[in-house]
């Protein structure tokens, strides 16, 4: 077991209690902030080399959003760490009942390649804030970022308690043989299953941030140009390699026509007449994914884009029309800059379509009629929901971010990350006196005792429930 | 296998029909459950008695009172639990609707345990129904009378398609676990817990595992020993020690070991009289297999009190062992029986170290007059839950989450935590299609100015 030594070192550090004091956690978090500030240029360069990430996108998604999470955490850490006192309705007033937030111990964070810094630091911030020791495994797909993290990050953090492990598939499998106290994984559902199966051997709790095909319903009543902008932005950001990108559009044939015109204009506004020359459009992260995406272009009709350049791993911002549910592009999460439009007769058909498939990470609905947006919300199920925009729900640190069904289990962001990496321990500190009250519960049991116990502890219904 | 597919398939079709989503429907089902518990109290107590030799008042206290309390709480709070929760907005979303909406997960599976066979099926069921799910209930086959009763009663009071009961043993449970559920709550031991989680992993099904372990009980020299020992005795020997949060073993200073034994002996006398075997308030071991297992743990031990056994009736007397070695068999597994080992430690530091060297337990107990010491023990250890200066009681506070950590489990339930466990918390952001000018900042072409 090649990693047993590392894990047991971290576990020894954990048992010493080093990571528990708030001052320690704050110091480590502030160091992370310095990493983001001092290594900003290197991060922008690495993500640019790895996947042609435009500096605007990299700065926004990898630096600014991370710093938001960091500040939110530092601002609130002392409050989050405090014991939560609860209603003491079935204990005496001399007792103290509270929820203690305990760290789990040694946790493992496995990050994906599409937002290699954000999706690594996001969970890391919460894991440190919650007082854990952490093994960090950046994605091996984005080699420059992996190298940057492996070389630079350890010098900012306490090496006794935090380690970066670079590993491919084989090594990660070996890493997973070890016992961790929590595993946080971001990636595909098929690997998610492997991770959870490995975790089951040690009864390790997990958070799995997975994916799926995020549907985007566009109703006939809407401002088409605004819709086109918001959908295009969400679809083509990071060249489509975003777990919450709108994967496909559902709309009427009539709306499809209007959308195609609006999307064409938007794409030109965003990226110019030749997006390959734009500084604001990314590239595909690896050869395998490039090939995979190229093959999907045969679905439906290419109305906008469709150009590819293997040397640059460039795929133009592409829109496919008249896509059929059985087309190849509708069988897997696209994760690329291709937007299929699947025509449906009406909202009901769109909802049925969505519900006949696996629950996605997010459902999008666009309409100027709020009732339509609410109908789609109420009649579907997904990790999250965003009406009349794309991606933005994850920029709010007050909203939990996570999937449901095959799009994932668990959630994070803001205080939800802290909670994810904490064990909520129910604690009751009782008074040693007043033993006579306890006498009711001791044998020998009598009907009389029972009567008194029933009277004393029964929760009575407060009045009549108006719904009945 | 086919039968399981049909049962789960019917439950899923019933869930998809949408009828269990309305609050009215859920409240109606909870009310029906309440009616069932009230009308069939005698039958429920009789089944528990047949399974565990548990007397009426005891069974009522453990299994019925708690269930009625959970039902009343759920019916009272459901509207507020199920309501969308608005959250803090930022500058960009000031004019938008931002909230978290609790939603049902779908079809959930509840696997019960035999030691508190009624409440360990009912309490999760209440939360699952309240959260709007369809529920497949699988009571433990070891407490067969209660299992059969649950299978007979639930269809009489609840929607038959939405809340089916599946009875059976290992083969039936294995077949059930191949089906896809949207959450599984399992109560039992760590070995089977791993099997349940591995099966769940195939479908990416979230799980709540209420497992067990050896719950330590540290008695400080500075405490009211008589009171401490009475409370420990109550918790240890209730249900003949077959309680997941029973104090498994005691850690104390050698100088108070004999006083602890004396106090427990005196309390046992008070509780069960001279002849424990004839006390109506003392239960039996659930079956021969567990009886033999527990008797095996006594081998080579110094029995300070008790030790009498009777295989025919699965009777094991309340037993205390002293000067137990940490390496002995009785310290290797969760005892789950009326055998209380006492191990001596020279200080609270040694106790904390001892506890931390072992798997994280479901419960931790510490008795002391010294508040600082209690705080220290809590802060320097980890466990599912804690009660200081008593046993069990943290599990009875409705607003405290009840669950394990590490080997003792994952996830939590009770009260509103049951509702949350069986819900998906969906983040919702509803924006306006207008106000596009605000969005222009984020669109390409990008530039440093925009950043």
């Amino acid at each position: 077991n090649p990693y047993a030594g590392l894990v047991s070192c971290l576990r020894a550090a954990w048992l010493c209690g080093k990571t528990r004091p708030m001052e320690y956690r704050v110091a480590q978090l502030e160091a992370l902030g310095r990493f983001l500030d001092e290594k900003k240029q290197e991060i922008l360069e690495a993500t640019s080399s790895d996947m042609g990430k435009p500096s605007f996108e990299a700065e926004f998604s990898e630096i600014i959003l991370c710093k938001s999470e960091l500040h939110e955490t530092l601002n609130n850490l002392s409050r989050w760490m405090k014991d939560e006192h609860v209603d003491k309705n079935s204990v005496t007033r001399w007792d103290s009942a509270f929820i203690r937030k305990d760290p789990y111990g040694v946790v493992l964070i496995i990050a994906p390649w599409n937002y290699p810094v954000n999706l690594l630091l996001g969970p890391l911030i919460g894991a440190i804030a919650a007082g854990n020791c952490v093994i960090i495994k950046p994605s091996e797909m984005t080699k420059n970022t992996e190298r940057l993290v492996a070389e630079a990050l350890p010098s900012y953090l306490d090496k006794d308690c935090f380690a970066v492990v670079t590993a491919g598939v084989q090594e990660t499998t070996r890493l997973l043989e070890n016992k961790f106290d929590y595993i946080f994984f971001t990636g595909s559902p098929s690997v998610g299953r492997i991770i959870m199966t490995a975790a089951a051997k040690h009864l390790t709790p997990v958070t799995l941030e997975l994916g799926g095909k995020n549907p985007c319903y566009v109703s006939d009543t809407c401002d088409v140009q605004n819709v086109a902008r918001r959908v295009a932005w969400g679809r083509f950001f990071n060249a489509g390699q975003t777990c919450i990108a709108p994967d496909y559009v559902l709309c009427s044939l009539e709306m499809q026509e209007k959308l195609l015109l609006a999307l064409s204009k938007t794409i030109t506004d965003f990226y110019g007449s030749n997006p390959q020359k734009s500084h604001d459009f990314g590239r595909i992260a690896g050869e395998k994914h490039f090939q995979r995406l190229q093959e999907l272009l045969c679905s439906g009709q290419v109305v906008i884009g469709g150009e590819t350049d293997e040397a640059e791993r460039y795929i133009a911002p592409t829109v496919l029309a008249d896509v059929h549910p059985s087309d190849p592009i509708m069988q897997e999460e696209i994760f690329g800059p291709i937007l299929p439009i699947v025509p449906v007769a009406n909202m009901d058909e769109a909802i049925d379509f969505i519900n006949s498939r696996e629950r996605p990470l997010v459902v999008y609905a666009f309409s100027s009629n709020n009732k339509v947006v609410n109908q789609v919300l109420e009649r579907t199920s997904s990790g999250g929901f965003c009406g009349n925009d794309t991606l933005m729900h994850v920029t709010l640190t007050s909203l939990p971010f996570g999937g449901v069904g095959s799009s994932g289990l668990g959630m994070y962001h803001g205080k939800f990350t802290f909670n994810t990496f904490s064990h909520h321990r129910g604690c009751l500190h009782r008074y040693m006196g007043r033993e006579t009250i306890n006498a009711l519960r001791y044998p020998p049991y009598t009907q009389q005792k029972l009567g008194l116990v029933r009277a004393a502890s029964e929760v009575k219904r407060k009045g009549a429930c108006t719904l009945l | 296998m086919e039968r399981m597919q049909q049962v789960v398939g019917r439950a899923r079709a019933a869930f998809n029909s949408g009828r269990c989503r309305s609050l009215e429907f859920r409240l109606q089902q909870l009310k029906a459950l309440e009616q069932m518990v009230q009308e069939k109290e005698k039958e429920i107590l009789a089944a528990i008695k047949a399974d565990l030799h548990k007397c009426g008042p005891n069974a009522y206290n453990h299994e019925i009172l708690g269930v009625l309390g959970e039902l009343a709480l759920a019916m009272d709070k459901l509207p507020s639990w199920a309501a969308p929760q608005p959250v803090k907005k930022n500058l960009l979303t000031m004019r938008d609707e931002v909230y978290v909406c609790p939603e049902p997960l779908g079809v959930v599976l509840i696997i019960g345990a035999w030691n508190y066979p009624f409440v360990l099926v009912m309490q999760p069921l209440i939360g699952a129904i309240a959260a709007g799910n369809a529920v497949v209930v699988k009571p433990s086959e070891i407490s067969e009378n209660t299992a059969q009763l649950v299978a007979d009663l639930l269809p009489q009071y609840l929607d038959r398609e939405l809340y089916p009961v599946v009875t059976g043993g290992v083969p039936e449970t294995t077949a059930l676990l191949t089906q896809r559920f949207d959450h599984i709550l399992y109560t039992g031991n760590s070995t089977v817990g791993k099997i349940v989680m591995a099966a769940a992993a195939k479908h990416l099904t979230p799980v709540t595992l209420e497992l067990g372990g050896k719950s330590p009980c540290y008695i400080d020299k500075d405490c009211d020993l008589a009171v401490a020992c009475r409370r420990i005795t109550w918790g240890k020997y209730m249900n003949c020690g077959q309680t997941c949060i029973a104090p498994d073993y005691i850690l104390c200073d050698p100088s108070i070991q004999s006083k602890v034994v004396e106090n427990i002996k005196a309390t046992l006398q008070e509780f069960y009289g001279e002849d424990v075997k004839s006390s109506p308030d003392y239960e039996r071991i659930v079956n021969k297999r567990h009886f033999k297992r527990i008797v095996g743990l006594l081998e080579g031990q110094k029995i300070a009190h008790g030790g009498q056994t009777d295989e025919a009736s699965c009777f094991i007397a309340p037993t205390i062992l002293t000067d137990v070695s940490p390496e002995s068999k009785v310290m290797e597994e969760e005892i789950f029986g009326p055998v209380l080992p006492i191990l001596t430690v020279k200080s609270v530091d040694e106790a904390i170290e001892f506890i931390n060297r072992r798997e994280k337990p479901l419960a931790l107990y510490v008795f002391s007059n010294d508040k600082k010491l209690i705080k220290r023990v809590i802060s320097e250890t980890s466990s599912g839950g804690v009660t200081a200066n008593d046993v069990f009681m943290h599990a009875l506070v409705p607003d405290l989450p009840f669950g394990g950590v590490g080997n003792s489990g994952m996830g939590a339930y009770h009260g509103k935590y049951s509702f949350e466990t069986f819900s998906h918390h969906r983040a919702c952001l509803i924006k306006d299609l207008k106000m596009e000018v605000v969005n222009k900042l984020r669109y390409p072409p990008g530039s440093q100015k925009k950043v």
Side-chain angles (χ1 to χ4, degrees):
Chain A
N1 186 341
Y3 298 102
L6 175 64
V7 178
S8 61
C9 271
L10 255 64
R11 188 152 272 121
W14 154 253
L15 284 169
C16 288
K18 219 176 169 196
T19 55
R20 304 191 81 144
M22 190 177 103
E23 297 73 21
Y24 177 89
R25 306 181 200 187
V26 168
Q28 299 302 303
L29 290 171
E30 286 176 342
L32 272 187
R34 286 198 301 280
F35 169 78
L36 283 169
D37 287 334
E38 292 167 14
K39 296 297 175 188
K40 179 170 123 172
Q41 237 354 87
E42 284 90 330
I43 291 172
L44 298 184
E45 278 162 21
T47 51
S48 173
S49 308
D50 283 330
M51 46 200 291
K53 202 178 284 229
S55 62
F56 178 97
E57 287 183 359
E59 191 151 356
F60 178 63
S61 64
E62 310 269 22
I63 313 273
I64 295 176
L65 286 181
C66 274
K67 293 202 81 179
S68 259
E69 285 281 318
L70 197 57
H71 295 159
E72 171 83 1
T73 303
L74 284 166
N75 289 342
N76 292 287
L77 186 56
S78 77
R79 194 165 50 87
W80 293 348
M81 278 175 70
K82 279 198 170 66
D83 290 337
E84 244 175 77
H85 285 263
V86 303
D87 231 340
K88 296 188 296 191
N89 38 27
S90 56
V91 300
T92 71
R93 63 184 147 99
W94 299 280
D95 304 329
S96 152
F98 56 93
I99 301 171
R100 163 68 53 92
K101 326 290 174 63
D102 276 342
Y104 276 106
V106 178
V107 308
L108 171 65
I109 294 173
I110 301 178
W113 50 263
N114 57 334
Y115 292 90
V117 173
N118 180 316
L119 297 178
L120 187 146
L121 287 188
L124 179 60
I125 289 166
I128 295 178
N132 299 284
C133 290
V134 192
I135 292 186
I136 300 148
K137 204 223 77 65
S139 171
E140 71 280 16
M141 277 236 350
T142 35
K143 284 258 165 287
N144 296 286
T145 317
E146 184 196 37
R147 191 180 315 125
L148 174 65
V149 169
E151 287 172 359
L153 192 59
S155 58
Y156 287 84
L157 298 175
D158 180 350
K159 291 191 179 59
D160 286 343
C161 302
F162 307 103
V164 178
V165 166
T166 54
V169 173
Q170 312 271 38
E171 295 96 332
T172 309
T173 309
R174 303 305 311 276
L175 183 58
L176 286 166
E177 288 167 14
N178 292 283
K179 177 176 180 167
F180 292 97
D181 302 303
Y182 204 93
I183 297 176
F184 189 105
F185 169 78
T186 307
S188 72
S190 52
V191 180
R193 282 188 188 88
I194 296 171
I195 304 277
M196 190 168 169
T197 304
K201 294 199 173 72
H202 296 289
L203 288 169
T204 299
V206 301
T207 290
L208 306 174
E209 294 276 329
L210 311 175
K213 292 181 76 59
N214 304 318
C216 182
Y217 172 66
V218 180
S219 90
D220 286 335
T221 38
C222 66
D223 181 326
V224 188
Q225 198 54 62
N226 285 354
V227 172
R229 267 195 286 263
R230 296 174 190 196
V231 172
W233 180 70
R235 173 75 278 186
F236 302 118
F237 194 96
N238 205 31
Q241 296 158 113
T242 309
C243 55
I244 42 165
D247 188 277
Y248 63 98
V249 167
L250 293 167
C251 65
S252 67
L253 277 166
E254 205 187 296
M255 178 47 62
Q256 182 182 233
E257 289 311 306
K258 297 193 189 141
L259 255 185
L260 287 168
L261 286 167
L263 282 167
S264 179
K265 176 177 188 307
T266 301
I267 290 170
T268 309
D269 286 344
F270 283 4
Y271 310 113
S273 51
N274 184 3
Q276 194 170 5
K277 297 239 170 4
S278 165
H279 292 298
D280 298 317
F281 186 70
R283 297 293 181 264
I284 305 308
E287 189 57 35
K288 191 168 64 115
H289 283 288
F290 175 82
Q291 298 293 354
R292 180 184 65 81
L293 287 165
Q294 221 179 15
E295 281 164 32
L296 295 179
L297 287 171
C298 64
S299 310
Q301 259 195 73
V302 177
V303 176
I304 303 170
E307 299 89 357
T308 69
D309 181 343
E310 188 160 349
E312 284 187 28
R313 293 199 303 270
Y314 165 79
I315 295 185
T318 300
V319 182
L320 308 172
D322 296 321
V323 176
H324 199 266
S326 59
D327 283 334
I329 203 165
M330 289 306 290
Q331 308 317 315
E332 59 183 83
E333 184 175 357
I334 297 165
F335 228 67
I338 307 169
L339 182 65
I341 303 182
V342 179
V344 288
N346 49 42
M347 180 189 73
D348 287 321
E349 203 180 293
I351 290 174
D352 286 341
F353 187 92
I354 295 170
N355 288 339
S356 66
R357 294 165 155 258
E358 288 296 339
R359 288 182 287 186
L361 200 42
V362 55
V363 166
Y364 294 113
F366 285 83
S367 179
S368 342
N369 181 350
N370 239 37
K371 282 208 180 77
V372 170
V373 172
N374 280 312
Q375 277 270 292
V376 178
L377 165 59
E378 280 162 30
R379 290 165 58 187
T380 60
S381 178
S382 59
F385 178 90
C386 189
N388 292 331
D389 208 339
T390 59
L391 310 191
M392 294 305 283
H393 60 297
V394 309
T395 62
L396 270 156
T397 52
S398 52
L399 278 178
F401 175 63
V404 68
S406 63
S407 54
L409 55 101
M411 53 176 148
Y412 75 124
H413 283 189
K415 82 166 189 264
F416 300 102
T417 321
F418 177 86
N419 285 342
T420 286
F421 285 106
S422 312
H423 166 56
H424 289 239
R425 191 180 188 191
C427 299
L428 176 63
H429 184 158
R430 295 213 79 188
Y431 184 54
M432 276 266 232
R434 303 274 170 191
E435 183 62 354
T436 39
I437 297 180
N438 280 349
L440 282 179
R441 72 192 196 195
Y442 298 137
Y445 302 119
T446 61
Q447 279 304 125
Q448 188 204 29
K449 266 188 184 176
L450 185 59
L452 288 168
V453 166
R454 200 194 300 219
S457 57
E458 214 165 24
V459 177
K460 301 258 187 301
R461 287 295 303 281
K462 286 205 224 76
C465 177
T466 52
L467 281 173
L468 289 177
Chain B
M1 180 77 89
E2 225 184 80
R3 177 168 83 96
M4 300 306 173
Q5 235 168 348
Q6 282 176 358
V7 168
V8 179
R10 259 200 307 270
R12 194 164 286 286
F15 174 76
N16 287 338
S17 76
R19 66 175 178 272
C20 53
R21 296 202 71 147
S22 77
L23 291 193
E24 287 88 348
F25 180 87
R26 305 182 206 181
L27 285 166
Q28 185 202 80
Q29 296 298 302
L30 293 173
K31 196 100 190 84
L33 260 190
E34 188 185 56
Q35 216 184 330
M36 178 188 96
V37 175
Q38 287 163 340
E39 288 173 8
K40 300 292 178 184
E41 182 185 306
K42 271 218 319 267
E43 287 87 335
I44 297 169
L45 295 178
I48 297 172
K49 176 135 210 238
D51 285 327
L52 290 156
H53 198 272
K54 198 184 290 209
C55 70
N58 207 3
Y60 186 90
N61 222 339
H62 301 164
E63 308 240 26
I64 304 244
L65 199 57
V67 172
L68 289 174
E70 281 282 296
L71 278 163
L73 183 70
M75 288 191 281
D76 206 29
K77 300 280 189 195
L78 183 55
S80 76
W81 289 349
Q85 322 280 346
V87 300
K88 202 172 79 162
K89 305 196 250 199
N90 61 17
L91 264 173
L92 283 177
T93 49
M94 250 326 130
R95 298 192 47 188
D96 307 322
E97 279 178 62
V98 188
Y99 55 90
V100 179
C101 196
E103 297 183 348
L105 285 166
V107 181
V108 307
L109 172 65
I110 292 170
I111 302 177
W114 54 261
N115 56 334
Y116 290 88
F118 189 66
V119 65
L120 292 179
V121 147
M122 292 294 292
Q123 206 166 359
L125 177 62
I126 290 165
I129 293 178
N133 301 286
V135 191
V136 176
V137 175
K138 159 77 189 70
S140 169
E141 69 281 14
I142 295 181
S143 41
E144 52 190 352
N145 297 284
T146 314
Q148 194 49 56
L149 184 68
V150 167
D152 292 336
L153 288 183
L154 283 194
Q156 289 176 36
Y157 286 83
L158 301 180
D159 184 308
R160 282 164 195 223
E161 286 171 346
L162 282 169
Y163 314 110
V165 181
V166 171
T167 52
V170 174
E172 287 82 359
T173 312
T174 308
L176 201 47
L177 284 170
T178 60
Q179 301 303 308
R180 183 181 189 180
F181 294 98
D182 301 302
H183 195 101
I184 300 175
L185 189 148
Y186 165 78
T187 306
N189 66 59
S190 310
T191 311
V192 178
K194 290 177 183 166
I195 296 171
V196 172
M197 189 172 172
K202 295 201 172 70
H203 296 291
L204 290 169
T205 299
V207 299
T208 298
L209 303 175
E210 297 274 328
L211 310 175
K214 294 179 77 58
S215 299
C217 180
Y218 176 68
I219 306 178
D220 186 33
K221 274 191 285 195
D222 170 22
C223 84
D224 185 333
L225 266 184
V227 172
C229 291
R230 182 173 304 117
R231 297 179 182 188
I232 292 169
T233 306
W234 170 69
K236 175 77 205 185
Y237 300 106
M238 177 192 294
N239 208 31
C240 214
Q242 298 162 118
T243 308
C244 54
I245 44 172
D248 188 276
Y249 63 97
I250 288 178
L251 293 169
C252 70
D253 191 279
S255 63
I256 57 168
Q257 185 177 217
S258 48
K259 275 227 200 69
V260 168
V261 173
E262 288 315 309
N263 274 294
I264 297 178
K265 270 161 82 162
T267 309
L268 285 169
Q269 178 100 317
E270 255 179 66
F271 285 1
Y272 305 113
E274 276 295 342
D275 180 19
V276 183
K277 204 163 181 218
S278 55
S279 162
D281 300 325
Y282 190 68
E283 292 93 346
R284 298 292 180 268
I285 300 305
V286 72
N287 62 23
K288 292 266 186 329
R289 181 170 70 90
H290 279 284
F291 173 88
K292 289 196 169 97
R293 178 186 65 79
I294 299 164
V295 168
L297 300 175
L298 297 174
E299 229 176 289
Q301 295 296 339
K302 210 195 284 180
I303 297 180
H305 180 76
Q308 302 88 349
T309 67
D310 172 30
E311 183 162 347
S313 59
C314 286
F315 166 81
I316 298 181
T319 302
I320 309 171
L321 309 174
T322 48
D323 294 318
V324 177
S325 147
E327 284 80 39
S328 52
K329 195 142 186 271
V330 76
M331 287 306 290
E332 273 172 27
E333 57 183 81
E334 185 175 356
I335 295 166
F336 226 67
V339 171
L340 180 58
I342 303 180
L343 289 85
T344 55
V345 286
K346 295 209 181 47
S347 63
V348 72
D349 299 278
E350 210 181 298
I352 290 174
E353 226 186 306
F354 186 93
I355 293 168
N356 285 341
R357 252 184 276 132
R358 293 162 161 264
E359 294 294 349
K360 295 178 196 174
L362 189 50
L364 186 142
Y365 301 112
V366 48
F367 286 83
S368 177
N369 286 330
D370 181 356
K371 283 206 174 100
K372 274 211 186 74
L373 184 138
I374 290 178
K375 277 193 164 69
R376 207 189 133 198
V377 172
I378 298 179
S379 298
E380 295 180 23
T381 60
S382 183
S383 63
V386 178
T387 295
N389 292 335
D390 206 338
V391 299
F392 286 8
M393 300 303 283
H394 64 285
L396 300 179
V397 180
D399 289 334
L400 285 181
F402 179 70
V405 66
N407 252 42
S408 54
M410 58 180 79
Y413 75 121
H414 282 195
K416 83 163 188 260
Y417 295 99
S418 302
F419 179 86
E420 288 181 3
T421 286
F422 289 112
S423 300
H424 169 55
H425 302 271
R426 193 176 188 197
C428 300
L429 169 61
I430 319 264
K431 300 200 76 164
D432 204 298
L433 255 187
K434 305 190 283 282
M435 294 299 289
E436 185 63 351
V437 69
V438 176
N439 283 348
K440 291 223 154 57
L441 274 182
R442 71 193 202 207
Y443 297 143
S447 70
Q448 274 313 110
K449 222 171 25 169
K450 274 188 178 176
V451 170

